[in-house]
């Protein structure tokens, strides 16, 4: 079993009152207004506005945040909920009498952004509801790392391998399973001792080549790396840049990754529980020393895995 590392308290959730226009005068489709303008026959049975909560209250660029849609006490109940945020899908699953979704905030997204929700009913009809969420920007640091020349300037004979692995990984991350597999809040895969933040601009051997797409956690060769939440192993292998790595599908297009491992102890298609051992810390791939590189993707976008710990899951 995994140790019980300290996990940050989930941040306060935002709450939307559908009839309010939080965009400072920008038009918002409001279900109550639409119903008032329709005739009596169209209002039977009624469709009530839905309560919406999100957590944390003010998400940051490059992060994930949770969205909960509460079922109304009366009126018609939708069969499913769909959403979009900054033109990316927000997929929902029923959970404890509500709908839970995880939204992506790509790097470069700041200010007031629209969350659009669509409610689908059993008779084939649909209703929409929109609200505005404020996103904070972040300051990104940079680092200059020394690695073996084959990782800063890959030789021609490995270029095909790199492209093949990228296609393989992208095929996995673009697949969104319909069920939400998590049954508890996320937990860090190792004690939360961060050695390198998500989003750093990375110079390898003096050349700007990438942005750091993970959260590096301190670890020595052979120390355990645990699953951050319940899910299914979607991909496991030895990759040119990432070294030995594991991708876990948590459902709804949410994936976590564990890289630079010295050993993998799970197999593709295997279900995993939170805190289950998935591998051992190592220094495989493009690294300067042993550590665990922990990654997150939502709707195909690379995000700060640490933001999962700030979502207030029910």
């Amino acid at each position: 079993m995994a140790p019980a590392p300290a996990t940050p308290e989930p941040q306060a959730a935002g709450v939307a009152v559908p009839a309010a226009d939080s965009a400072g005068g920008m038009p918002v489709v409001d279900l109550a207004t639409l119903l008032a303008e329709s005739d009596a026959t169209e209002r039977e049975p009624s469709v009530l506005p839905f309560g919406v909560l999100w957590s944390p209250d003010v998400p940051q660029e490059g992060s994930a945040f949770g969205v909960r849609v509460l079922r109304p006490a009366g009126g018609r109940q939708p069969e499913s909920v769909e959403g979009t945020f900054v033109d990316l899908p927000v997929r929902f699953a029923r959970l404890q009498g509500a709908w839970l979704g995880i939204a992506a905030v790509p790097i470069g997204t700041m200010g007031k952004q629209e969350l659009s929700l669509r409610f689908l009913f059993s008779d084939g009809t649909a209703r929409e509801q929109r609200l505005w969420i404020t996103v904070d920007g972040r300051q990104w640091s940079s680092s200059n790392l020394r690695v073996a020349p084959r990782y800063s300037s890959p030789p021609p004979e490995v270029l095909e391998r790199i492209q093949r692995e990228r296609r393989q990984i992208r095929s996995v991350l673009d697949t969104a399973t319909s069920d939400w597999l998590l049954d508890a809040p996320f937990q860090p895969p190792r004690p939360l001792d961060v050695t390198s933040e998500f989003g750093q601009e990375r110079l390898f051997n003096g050349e700007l080549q990438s942005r750091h797409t993970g959260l590096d956690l301190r670890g020595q060769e052979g120390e355990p790396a645990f699953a951050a939440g319940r899910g299914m192993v979607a991909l496991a292998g030895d990759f040119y840049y990432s070294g030995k790595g594991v991708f876990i599908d948590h459902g709804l297009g949410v994936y976590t990754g564990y890289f630079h491992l010295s050993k993998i102890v799970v197999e593709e298609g295997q279900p995993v529980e939170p805190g289950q051992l998935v591998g051992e810390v190592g220094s495989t791939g493009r690294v300067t020393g042993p550590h665990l590189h922990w990654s997150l993707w939502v709707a195909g976008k690379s995000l700060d895995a640490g933001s999962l710990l700030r979502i207030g899951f029910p």
Side-chain angles (χ1 to χ4, degrees):
M1 292 296 293
T7 301
E9 288 294 326
Q11 295 184 6
V15 181
V17 179
D21 181 357
S22 58
M26 299 183 71
V28 175
V29 174
D30 173 50
L31 294 181
T33 302
L34 290 177
L35 293 172
E37 294 175 350
S38 62
D39 59 40
T41 57
E42 291 176 331
R43 293 201 306 267
E44 295 296 337
S46 65
V47 179
L48 300 180
F50 293 83
V52 182
L53 301 91
W54 61 94
S55 173
D57 182 33
V58 181
Q60 289 185 318
E61 62 167 318
S63 72
F65 69 96
V67 181
R68 289 180 66 198
V69 177
L70 308 178
R71 297 180 66 176
R76 298 172 59 194
Q77 305 292 339
E79 292 292 309
S80 63
V81 180
E82 300 174 347
T84 58
F85 185 73
V86 291
D87 297 325
L88 293 173
V90 183
R91 300 177 175 92
F92 287 86
R94 287 194 183 191
L95 184 67
Q96 298 180 6
W99 285 267
L100 172 69
I102 305 295
V105 187
I107 289 178
T109 302
M110 290 170 280
K112 288 188 180 295
Q113 304 293 333
E114 184 184 79
L115 172 64
S116 176
L117 300 172
R118 190 165 186 260
F119 304 96
L120 307 176
F121 298 90
S122 58
D123 61 359
T125 61
R127 294 292 187 273
E128 292 186 354
Q129 189 168 312
R130 292 186 289 162
L131 54 106
W132 297 86
I133 296 177
T134 300
V135 175
D136 270 355
R138 291 180 62 175
Q139 296 294 323
W140 307 104
S141 61
S142 62
S143 61
N144 194 346
L145 306 175
R146 305 299 300 180
V147 296
R150 69 179 183 275
Y151 290 116
S152 60
S153 300
E157 59 268 23
V158 302
L159 294 180
E160 193 280 331
R161 174 191 172 183
I162 293 172
Q163 293 301 319
R164 182 178 68 252
E165 291 175 355
R166 285 175 175 169
R167 291 192 298 270
Q168 181 185 26
I169 292 170
R170 180 45 53 189
S171 176
V172 168
L173 299 180
D174 285 344
T175 301
T177 50
S178 59
D179 294 327
W180 180 237
L181 303 180
L182 212 69
D183 57 358
F186 282 99
Q187 61 186 50
R190 286 192 51 75
L192 203 62
D193 185 358
V194 177
T195 60
S196 183
E197 295 282 355
F198 169 83
Q200 273 190 347
E201 294 180 343
R202 286 291 180 84
L203 291 84
F204 290 99
N205 301 343
E207 296 181 10
L208 179 61
Q209 294 193 353
S210 67
R211 187 184 288 274
H212 190 220
T213 58
L215 189 68
D216 287 350
L217 303 180
R218 191 181 306 279
Q220 298 302 314
E221 194 88 16
E223 290 184 340
F226 303 101
R230 186 168 178 262
M232 186 79 67
V233 178
L235 183 63
D238 192 349
F239 307 97
Y240 185 78
Y241 285 121
S242 303
K244 294 180 179 179
V246 174
F247 294 77
I248 296 179
D249 177 10
H250 302 283
L252 305 182
V254 178
Y255 291 83
T256 54
Y258 313 77
F259 302 111
H260 305 312
L261 302 172
S262 60
K263 183 179 180 180
I264 296 173
V265 301
V266 291
E267 299 178 349
E268 291 179 14
Q270 175 182 339
V272 293
E273 296 297 325
Q276 180 175 335
L277 184 70
V278 298
E280 296 178 358
V281 172
S283 55
T284 56
R286 185 171 65 180
V287 293
T288 58
H291 67 278
L292 176 66
H293 176 107
W294 183 30
S295 289
L296 166 68
W297 296 268
V298 177
K301 293 295 183 181
S302 178
L303 304 171
D304 184 357
S307 65
L308 292 174
L309 308 178
R310 298 187 286 272
I311 295 176
F313 288 100

